[in-house]
Amino acid sequence: MAVLEIRKYPEKILREKTAPVRDFNSALQRLIDDMIETMYAAPGVGLAANQVGVSKQVLVIDVSSREEQYPLIVIANPTITSKEGEIANEEGCLSVPGYTTVLKRAEKVRVAGLDRAGKSIEIEGEGLLSRALQHEIDHLNGILLIDRIGRLKKELFKKRFSLAGKK
Ligand code: CO
């Protein structure tokens, strides 16, 4: 296993829609293991494949450090099949380091997809798991948390980002 480099905003790969996984081969197994190791090393509670430079629909999530009832989750080709409620909470992203914002997300989601062997799975989550699922699925669609904030917040983010870049 290896810790991979996490791609950061404004890298283009983070904005591209990822491709569905068709082949659950050993290269995919290695990618998943490396993504898990990279997530734990960061440390973070979730990671999408395009954040490590692979434009495929794979994500890993482990919120057990904060909500211990949930195990490590690996999903390929995920889709949200139902959403319930709405809740605002603080959110950050390993690809946008040093930035957190309060975002509204569905309180509860159901996600259908495939496990690492290519078998159909369904996951239901609330709390941090629900938020992480929505955040990582956004990544797979080329969407970052800064795309979900209001215009004024985005102006402030851009100003701060460009100032940080000049240091
Ligand atoms: Co993220």
Side-chain angles (χ1 to χ4, degrees):
M1 297 217 276
V3 173
L4 306 172
E5 187 203 339
I6 296 177
R7 305 303 180 91
K8 310 263 160 50
Y9 170 86
E11 283 192 55
K12 241 187 97 195
I13 191 164
L14 295 169
R15 298 300 200 178
E16 291 161 2
K17 244 180 117 95
T18 53
V21 176
R22 305 258 178 248
D23 206 352
F24 291 80
N25 55 15
S26 60
L28 182 78
Q29 304 307 319
R30 195 171 328 122
L31 170 67
I32 289 168
D33 288 338
D34 289 348
M35 283 173 64
I36 293 167
E37 194 171 349
T38 304
M39 169 177 71
Y40 289 146
V45 297
L47 199 65
N50 49 343
Q51 287 184 278
V52 292
V54 180
S55 201
K56 277 189 183 161
Q57 291 178 17
V58 185
L59 58 86
V60 298
I61 290 174
D62 189 344
V63 297
S64 64
S65 61
R66 281 154 70 185
E67 294 184 9
E68 59 189 22
Q69 72 270 32
Y70 294 119
L72 167 68
I73 290 164
V74 176
I75 324 174
N77 307 351
T79 49
I80 294 175
T81 54
S82 77
K83 287 186 181 188
E84 223 178 280
E86 194 180 61
I87 190 163
N89 217 330
E90 192 157 32
E91 199 171 309
C93 178
L94 295 173
S95 292
V96 190
Y99 183 77
T100 60
T101 186
V102 172
L103 268 194
K104 273 187 197 160
R105 298 268 192 194
E107 201 173 353
K108 222 170 159 180
V109 290
R110 222 171 219 287
V111 172
L114 303 170
D115 70 8
R116 61 187 300 166
K119 210 179 98 210
S120 290
I121 47 166
E122 206 171 49
I123 291 157
E124 199 181 289
E126 44 189 312
L128 185 59
L129 178 58
S130 171
R131 184 162 294 272
L133 283 163
Q134 293 170 78
H135 179 108
E136 301 312 330
I137 290 171
D138 267 359
H139 270 302
L140 300 180
N141 290 314
I143 298 166
L144 295 173
L145 82 170
I146 50 165
D147 301 321
R148 296 216 177 264
I149 59 181
R151 210 176 47 144
L152 186 63
K153 266 187 168 178
K154 190 146 188 183
E155 291 299 316
L156 287 169
F157 167 79
K158 281 188 171 161
K159 203 178 254 176
R160 222 182 84 183
F161 180 80
S162 67
L163 287 174
K166 280 176 196 133
K167 267 185 214 158

